[in-house]
Amino acid sequence: MATRVLPVALVAAWWLTVPAAPAALAATVLPADTGTDGGRAAPAASTGPVRGGPPAEDPVTLSRDGQITDRVDAVGDRRPEVEQALDRLYDDERIQLFVVWVREFSGRSAQDWTDATARRNGLGQSDVLLAIATHARQYAYWVDASSPLTNAQLADVASTAVEPALRRNDWAGAAIGAADGYRAVLSGRPVPTPAITPGDPDPGRSGAGSGTGAGDLVVPVLVAGGAAAVAAYAYARRRRRTAARTTPQGGRAGWSSGPAPPVPLAELDAQAGQALVDADDALRTSQEELGFATAQFGEDAARPFQDAVGYAKTQLTAAFRLRQQLDDAHPEDDGARRRMLDEILSRCAEAGRRLDAESAAFDRLRDLERNAPGALAAARSAFTGLDARLSAAEATLSTLRERYAPSAAAPVADNPAQAGERLAFARTALERANAAVARSDSGAAAVGVRAAEGALDQAERLMAAVDRRARELAEAVDRLPGALTETDGDLAEAGGVLEGTAAGVPTAALQGRIARARAVAAEVRGEMAAGPYDPIDALRRVEEADAALDQALAGARESEQGARRARELLDQATLGARSAIGAAADYITTHRGAVGSEARTRLAEAERRLRRSAELAGGGPAGAAPDGAGPEAAGPEAAGPEAAGPEAAGPRGGGETWHQRDRAPGDLPGAIAEAQQADALARRAQSLAEDDVRGFGGRSGPGGGPGMGGGLGGAVLGGILLGGVLGGGRGGGYGARGGFGGGGFGGGPGSFGGGGTRGRMGGGRF
C-alpha cells in the first residue's frame, strides 16, 4: 500500500508546489490525443503557468482536478491556502467558487471573457467564477441568474475583499477574500477585511516571479518527503471533491471521443433567451451612442453606422418574432422548436456580427480619447440642463398624482427618482473624467465620458416620459366625452337594429354587445363624476366595448358612415397602444440591466402589431411606434435612432395622429384589432419587466441595494455598466480603464457594437 501511495503523494506534491516547465515543454507534454481513451489531452488550464510570457488567453476549459486554474503561476506556494478557503465556502454554503488566473483576456472585455468561460464549462446555479487577468489588470465574476448571491452582495464582496487584494497584487488573497466574503454574506455576516500579502505585479511574464525553469525543478528528497503527507491528503480530498461536486461538465469537458450530443432543448431555449437579451442590449446601446455621434458629426458621417444598426434591427425583429411564435398557444414539435431556437441564435449572432464589424470605424469617428475634452464639455452642458429639469419632472408627476387615479401615473411613478440616480452616476463619471483629463489620462477620460453619456441619455428619457404621459392623459381627457357620445349613438342605432330584426333571427350576440357597451359607459361616467380617474384606461374600455358593438352594426351601415366611425375607433385604439408601447419601451430601456427576454419579446410583438395596424388601415408610416420604443420601434426600414425623433408622430410628438383623414380606408376592423393587441401586449411587457426589476438581486429601492450608492445601482440597473444582465448569468468587475483609485464604475460602460466589442471600454480594471 505504501509503495502505491508514495508515488501518488510525490506527484501530488509536485502538482501543488512546483511551477510548470517552459512553454516548449508544456507543448510537448500536451499532445492532441492521449492515446488512451480516445479523448483530447487536458488543457493547459490544469498544468500551471507558461513561462516566456503567455499570450492572450481564449476562454479556457477549467481544471478538472479542482477549482483553481492558474495559467500564470499567480498563486504559487499559497495554493493550499486558496483551496482551504474554497473548501470552507463549499462546506458551509454548498457554493463552488472557481478561480482562473490568466495574463490577458484575448482582446475581449473582462465580463465577456468570463461569461464565455462560464458557458464553455457549463457552470450552474451553485457555481461562481472569478477571472483575473494579471497583466491586463482586469477581473470579472460570473454567477448564475438564480444564484443565492444577490448583486448587492456580489458588489460588497468585490469592493471589500477582492479589489483591495488585487490593487496590491495579492492574487491568492483575492480568491481567499472572495471565498470568505461570499461565505460571510450568505450567512448574514459582514464581509471580512482581508489581510494583504503583496506579490509579483506581473506574474507569468518572461523571467517573472521566483519560480524556476525546467532545469531547476529538482526537489530535495527530504523536502519532498515532508510535503508528501500533506500533498497526499490534499490530493485525496481533491479527488473526493471532484467526484462529489458538480465540477465543470462533470470533470469531462472536452474529453468526449465522439460527436458532441445535441444541446438539450431546455438549455437551447435558455441560450436563445439570453442571446435575445444580449443582442437587444447591444442594439439599444449602439443606438444611444450613434445618437451622440450623429449630433456631433452629422448624418453623412454617421450613415454607415445607421446602416449597421438598421441591419441589426432587422435581424433582431425576426428573432423576436420567432420567440413570440414559440410562446404562442400552439406549441411546435421538438424538431420545429429546435430549428426555430437555432434560427434565433443565428439571427442574434448576425446582428452582433454586423455591429461588431463597424465598431472599430465607429471608434475612429468618435475618437473619444483624443476628443475627450470636447466631449466632456458637451456632457457637462447636458448634465446642467437635465439637472435643472429634474425638479420640473417631479412637479409634473406630483400634479398627475393629484389630478388622476394612481394607475394613470403608475407607468412613470418612479421616473424622477430613477432620473436622479442616473444624474448622480453621471456626476460621478464626469468628475472622474475631468480628473483624468487633468492628469492627461485620455483612456480613463473616455471611459468616464461614455459612462456619463449613457446615464444622461437615460435621465433625459425618464424625464421626457413624464411629460409625454401628461400629454397623453390630457389628450385622453379631451377625447373621452366625444367617445362616450359616439357610444351613445351606436347604442341607439343598435336598439333600432334590434327592433327591426325579424322574428326568429338570432340577436343574442348583438344584445350582449349592447349590454357590455352600456355597462362600460355607465362605469366610466361614474368614475368621471366621482373624482380622479384614469382617462387612458377609461378611453381604452369605451373603445373596446364600442368597437365590438360597431362590428355588429357594420352590415347595417352605409359604407361612408361605417368608415368614418371605424377611423375614430382606430384613433382611440392607437392612442392607447402608443401610450402603452412608449411606457413599456422607456421602462425596459432604462431598466434593461434587469429585464429578461420575455418582456422584450412582448414589447417587440406590440411594436410589430402597431405597424401592422398602420398597414391594414391603408396609411401611416411603418415607423408609427413611439420614438425609441425598442429595437423594432421604427421598423426595419429605419436605419437609425434618429428615424423617429422628438417631433415624430409618436408619443413624444404632438398634434394630429398619423391616422390621417384622407387616406384609403383599407381593413379598418383589422387595424383596430391589431392596435388593441398592441396595447395589450405592451401592457403585458411592462408588467413582466416590472416583475424582473422587483426580483433583480434583492434591490431595496431606486438606489439598487446596499453598497451601491453614488448612482452605481441605477447605472447597473439601466444597463449603462455591463454586468447586470439576467438570463444565463450575472456578473461584474469593478473599475475603469484609468485604474481604481478609490473605487470605480461597474463592468465598464457599453459602447457601439455587438457582444464581441461593446464592452471594450472598461470592465474591472485594477
Side-chain angles (χ1 to χ4, degrees), residues 276-361:
L276 284 168
V277 170
D278 292 344
D280 190 37
D281 280 347
L283 184 54
R284 290 174 190 272
T285 300
S286 296
Q287 287 175 309
E288 288 172 0
E289 193 172 11
L290 180 55
F292 288 103
T294 303
Q296 184 177 2
F297 300 105
E299 297 279 350
D300 290 342
R303 185 159 291 114
F305 313 110
Q306 294 167 359
D307 293 343
V309 165
Y311 179 84
K313 187 181 297 182
T314 302
Q315 293 295 322
L316 196 54
T317 295
F320 273 121
R321 180 66 182 132
L322 287 165
R323 180 72 260 180
Q324 181 66 36
Q325 291 172 352
L326 286 168
D327 293 343
D328 284 342
H330 304 289
E332 289 77 11
D333 60 59
D334 285 355
R337 190 172 185 84
R338 182 176 293 276
R339 288 192 295 274
M340 292 169 75
L341 290 170
D342 283 337
E343 185 175 350
I344 289 173
L345 289 167
S346 175
R347 287 187 178 275
C348 289
E350 180 63 15
R353 182 204 63 78
R354 184 70 175 86
L355 294 172
D356 284 336
E358 298 293 342
S359 63

Side-chain angles (χ1 to χ4, degrees), residues 148-215:
L149 288 160
T150 69
N151 287 332
Q153 290 172 334
L154 291 165
D156 191 13
V157 172
S159 61
T160 304
V162 177
E163 292 174 11
L166 292 178
R167 287 195 193 101
R168 298 182 62 187
N169 311 314
D170 187 357
W171 314 114
I176 295 168
D180 290 345
Y182 296 147
R183 191 163 61 98
V185 296
L186 288 171
S187 63
R189 294 179 288 110
V191 179
T193 302
I196 305 296
T197 304
D200 185 347
D202 191 10
R205 71 187 186 280
S206 179
S210 58
T212 56

Side-chain angles (χ1 to χ4, degrees), residues 509-603:
L510 179 56
Q511 289 181 27
R513 296 184 184 192
I514 290 173
R516 172 62 180 160
R518 281 177 177 160
V520 168
E523 289 172 2
V524 168
R525 284 192 168 101
E527 291 169 6
M528 294 170 67
Y533 69 100
D534 184 342
I536 290 178
D537 178 68
L539 186 63
R540 177 185 296 118
R541 286 182 284 142
V542 170
E543 177 272 322
E544 289 174 350
D546 201 5
L549 184 59
D550 190 70
Q551 283 184 327
L553 296 173
R557 281 177 168 163
E558 295 291 337
S559 176
E560 183 178 349
Q561 179 189 5
R564 180 194 62 78
R565 183 69 185 116
R567 289 193 193 102
E568 291 170 349
L569 291 170
L570 178 58
D571 283 342
Q572 294 169 18
T574 301
L575 172 62
R578 286 193 291 109
S579 176
I581 288 174
D586 285 335
Y587 190 88
I588 289 173
T589 296
T590 56
H591 296 74
R592 62 178 180 260
V595 177
S597 63
E598 188 176 0
R600 299 169 193 247
T601 300
R602 300 299 173 269
L603 174 60

